[in-house]
């Protein structure tokens, strides 16, 4: 068995090369007793003080190490890039693919037989899963866990979600700047990622639903001792997975993605999950399309009552039983591929067969769901979005889901922000804000700018929502009637580029359509007049990104990174 291990091509060598590999490891005090052919396990940590949601991952790594040693493996921790959502400009999404490429190459280039992936903030989880799928060595993910529930003046406040609420309160004059400063600290009380069902919590749950992290792993708070126990369990498990040769290619199957899509619907997950799952599936060679999300999710009710669509937060979800309860309920309703293999070596259904719910208000029963089937994220098509667009119905205002209105068009989010406080802005609540220039190539990086704050004039009048249409993304913690991911984006000449202020648009979510009421001849005339925007970069990483990024309906991965490149040991230059 050990002869097949990748690490044997380094530490099992004789002669000069083997001496070099072993000798330099000994400068850390690793003697021959651990360079004896046991599984070498990489612990890829995206810990960084510049990615606050991941800042504690080195401590999680220590727990993983304990588990690896306990199971007879040899753990080696290594740092990876960290794409922190809160600080990176122009947007962390610009760097997801770079992180995925870096992690893939680090795993392949080093003497690793298996890897434990430590992620947290939004993009770090899909980046690591994309990498694992492409290099295909045995891999277990351990996400860092959510922050403790935010607490402000006796009320639970959700990270992200309450940023939008506080901003609207501030603009409406119902909150002071001093109160906002104080509330900032109340939202972020501990290590961990956003504790709403934002993108980080969603992707942590979907890593579990895909079978790539241990059952129950997604929801334990970052500071709970059980976060460290489960990290230790992952360390033990990866050593066994190396001997079992259980690789991502055996886990990331079409059934696993279908499970993840249904779980995403059941937890009321982030719209960003669509882009990330499409990208991971593209790496794993699994055919998945935007339409799969609509078709599969239509039969799934939303069971989890969490912000931004609901009331509770991740701590409550954890104490109610966590994701295993959701998956068990889906399995009992015939909505889970129970035999889909997971990192435990068992099927997804076996893993959760003993799960019990301790709070039916937080994780509702399937026959009395928080929101009925068919009200989750919908995929829209029409002459305004031939490649598709998405809307999170649960975060929208029901009355606006069928609406015809006048378009008010802005070429960038910044152009809108420059005028949105103008008391004389020509806007009514039945208008439709069109924000473009926010797609993968156009911004670049497809930022979370789509749910722009409403015009101050309307906020002051008590308006709480209006339709927004954009080729960018929305934070998973955001809410509102927002049509996202319009594809193709405006920067490549998609129909969104041709809309003009005063045009009429109909949003009809029940019929899954998005229609621009401009006839084809006029659209052809506008297309002939349209000139593409200047390239945003002529060199460097941003040039690479804008040259090779795919559209949102293909996961916004790089065209040259799709697929698996395997784990063959690279040539030896010693
Ligand atoms: Fe990192 Fe929300 S900012 S998870």
């Amino acid at each position: 068995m050990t002869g097949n291990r990748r690490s044997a091509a380094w530490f099992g060598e004789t002669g000069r090369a083997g001496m070099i590999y072993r000798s330099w490891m000994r400068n850390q005090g690793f003697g021959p007793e651990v360079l004896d052919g046991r599984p070498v396990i990489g612990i890829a940590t995206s810990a960084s003080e510049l990615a606050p949601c991941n800042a504690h991952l080195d401590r999680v790594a220590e727990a993983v190490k304990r588990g690896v040693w306990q199971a007879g493996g040899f753990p080696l921790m290594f740092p990876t890039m960290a794409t922190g959502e809160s600080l990176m400009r122009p947007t962390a999404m610009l760097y997801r693919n770079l992180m995925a490429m870096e992690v893939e190459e680090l795993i392949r280039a080093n003497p690793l037989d298996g890897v434990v992936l430590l992620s947290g903030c939004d993009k770090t989880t899909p980046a690591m899963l994309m990498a694992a799928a492409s290099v295909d060595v045995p891999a277990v993910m351990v996400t860092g866990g959510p922050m403790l529930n935010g607490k402000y003046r006796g009320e639970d406040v959700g990270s992200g979600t309450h940023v939008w609420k506080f901003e609207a309160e501030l603009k409406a004059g119902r909150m002071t700047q001093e109160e906002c400063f104080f509330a900032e600290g109340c939202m972020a009380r501990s290590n961990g990622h956003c504790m709403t069902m934002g993108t980080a919590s969603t992707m942590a749950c979907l890593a579990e639903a895909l079978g790539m992290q241990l059952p129950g792993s997604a929801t334990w708070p970052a500071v709970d001792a059980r976060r460290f126990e489960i990290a230790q369990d992952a360390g033990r498990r990866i050593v066994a997975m190396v001997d079992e040769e259980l690789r991502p290619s055996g886990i990331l199957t079409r059934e696993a993605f279908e499970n993840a899509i249904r779980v995403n619907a059941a937890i009321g997950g982030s719209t960003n999950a669509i882009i990330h799952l499409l990208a991971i599936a593209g790496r794993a060679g699994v055919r998945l399309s935007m339409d799969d999300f609509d078709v599969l999710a239509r039969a799934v009710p939303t069971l989890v009552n969490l912000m931004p669509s609901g009331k509770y937060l991740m701590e409550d979800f954890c104490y109610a039983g966590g994701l295993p309860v959701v998956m068990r309920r889906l399995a009992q309703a015939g909505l889970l591929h129970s035999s889909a293999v997971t990192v435990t070596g068992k099927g997804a259904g076996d893993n959760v067969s003993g799960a019990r719910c301790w709070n039916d208000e937080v994780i509702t029963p399937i026959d009395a769901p928080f929101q009925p089937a068919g009200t989750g994220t919908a995929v829209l098509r029409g002459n305004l979005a031939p490649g598709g667009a998405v809307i999170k119905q649960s975060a929208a205002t029901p009355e606006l889901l069928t609406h015809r209105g006048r378009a008010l068009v802005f070429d960038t989010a910044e152009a809108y922000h420059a005028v949105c406080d103008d008391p004389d802005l020509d806007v009514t609540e039945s208008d439709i804000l069109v924000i473009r220039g926010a797609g993968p190539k156009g911004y670049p990086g497809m930022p979370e700018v789509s749910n722009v704050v409403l015009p101050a004039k309307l906020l002051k009048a008590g308006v709480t929502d209006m339709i927004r249409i954009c080729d960018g993304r929305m934070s998973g913690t955001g809410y509102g009637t927002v049509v996202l991911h319009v594809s193709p984006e405006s920067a490549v000449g998609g129909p969104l580029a041709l809309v003009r202020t005063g045009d009429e648009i109909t949003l009809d979510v029940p019929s899954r359509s998005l229609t621009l009421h401009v006839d084809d001849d006029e659209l052809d005339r506008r297309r002939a007049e349209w000139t593409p925007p200047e390239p945003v970069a002529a060199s460097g990483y941003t040039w690479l990104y804008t040259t090779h990024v795919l559209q949102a309906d293909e996961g916004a991965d790089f065209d040259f990174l799709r697929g698996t490149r395997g784990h063959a040991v690279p040539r030896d230059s010693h």
Side-chain angles (χ1 to χ4, degrees), residues 46 54 82-83 99 119-129 141:
S46 52
N54 296 30
T83 49
M99 180 175 173
S119 66
C121 199
D122 297 14
K123 310 300 176 292
T124 57
T125 297
M128 284 182 153
L129 289 174
M141 171 152 274

Side-chain angles (χ1 to χ4, degrees), residues 53 85 121-122 193-194 200:
C53 309
E85 197 67 30
C121 199
D122 297 14
H193 58 69
C194 291

